[in-house]
Amino acid sequence: MRTLCASTLIGEFFVIGFAGLVAMQLTDLSAATIWTVSGIAMLLSVLLCGMLNRPGGVQLGWVLQIGLIASGLVIPTMYFLGGVFAALWWASVHFGRKIDDAKARFAAESSAAG
């Protein structure tokens, strides 16, 4: 699960950065406002990659996703983007756990056979 969730967070990092560049061109918000919101989100997504193995790491990921949706109060496009990120986070957690279970089953079968 860690690899899939970390990949999602790194993808979010890049998309948020590019979205900040687009928002600067399409909105009348100041660059400082856009980069404050985007920069905090980008920083948190990278920091969270290192915290995924710690207790509560996945829950902190959900807090980040809710925060991204809430950042739509400042940059309205983030409502949509945050919703997409929350769906990706759910898929990463859900399918990541299935992959981990399958890997554990395969390892147990391999050790029992060999």
Side-chain angles (χ1 to χ4, degrees), residues 4 22 26 34 36 43 46 61 72 99 105 111:
L4 196 55
V22 171
L26 297 179
I34 290 171
T36 299
L43 178 67
V46 170
I99 291 168
R105 230 177 309 122
S111 66

Side-chain angles (χ1 to χ4, degrees), residues 18-20 28 33-34 37 39 43-44 46 50 52 56 69 78-79 85 87 92 98 101 108:
F18 291 132
D28 58 349
T33 301
I34 290 171
V37 172
L43 178 67
L44 291 176
V46 170
L52 287 173
I69 293 170
M78 288 303 291
Y79 284 125
F85 287 156
S92 297
K98 286 187 176 194
D101 291 343

Side-chain angles (χ1 to χ4, degrees), residues 54-74:
R54 297 186 183 271
V58 174
Q59 290 78 10
L60 284 174
W62 280 113
V63 171
L64 174 64
Q65 305 313 315
I66 292 168
L68 290 173
I69 293 170
S71 69
L73 295 169
V74 179

Side-chain angles (χ1 to χ4, degrees), residues 9 29 39 45 49 54-56 72 75 80-81 84 87 90 108 112:
L9 289 168
L29 295 171
S45 66
C49 285
R54 297 186 183 271
I75 304 171
F80 171 75
L81 198 55
V84 170
W90 175 85

Side-chain angles (χ1 to χ4, degrees), residues 8-33:
T8 299
L9 289 168
I10 293 301
E12 288 181 13
F13 171 85
F14 286 108
V15 171
I16 291 168
F18 291 132
L21 294 172
V22 171
M24 284 178 33
Q25 299 298 317
L26 297 179
T27 65
D28 58 349
L29 295 171
S30 71
T33 301

